[in-house]
Structures are given as C-alpha cells and as structure tokens.
Amino acid sequence: MMQLLYLDPGSGSYLVQVIIAAVLGVIFYFKSGWNWIKSFFVKTPPKKEEEENESAD
C-alpha cells in the first residue's frame, strides 16, 4: 500500500511546479476579473483635444 505513495524527485518537483502555477493562475484570474469589474463602475474622464493632438504627432 505504501508503494503507491512513492514520489521520486522528478515527480515531487513537478508537483511543486503545478501547485505554484495553479496559485499564480488563480491570482491572475481574480486580479483580471477585479480590474474588469472596477473599470465597469469607474468612469475615466474623456481626453482633451490637446492631449489627443500631441499623442498623434
């Protein structure tokens, strides 16, 4: 029964990598979602014509 629980070093490091990637993926997902929700409710002021002309040059 204990033989089924054996992890060699390669499998252990892969498992750590998968856990780290999952945590970072969840953080990125919720951060992106929060920014989308926040941008939906917070209006940005419209750009002035002078700023648009300067950026076009």
Side-chain angles (χ1 to χ4, degrees):
M1 185 71 173
M2 290 299 249
Q3 293 176 351
L4 297 175
L5 301 177
Y6 172 75
L7 294 175
D8 63 341
S11 298
S13 64
Y14 179 72
L15 183 62
V16 169
Q17 181 181 354
V18 167
I19 291 171
I20 291 171
V23 168
L24 291 176
V26 168
I27 290 170
F28 178 78
Y29 176 77
F30 284 112
K31 185 177 180 182
S32 298
W34 177 252
N35 286 338
W36 183 82
I37 291 170
K38 192 167 66 170
S39 69
F40 181 75
F41 289 108
V42 176
K43 301 282 185 181
T44 57
K47 291 184 177 180
K48 295 180 182 177
E49 290 181 23
E50 294 174 0
E51 292 177 8
E52 290 177 358
N53 291 336
E54 289 175 358
S55 63
D57 291 336

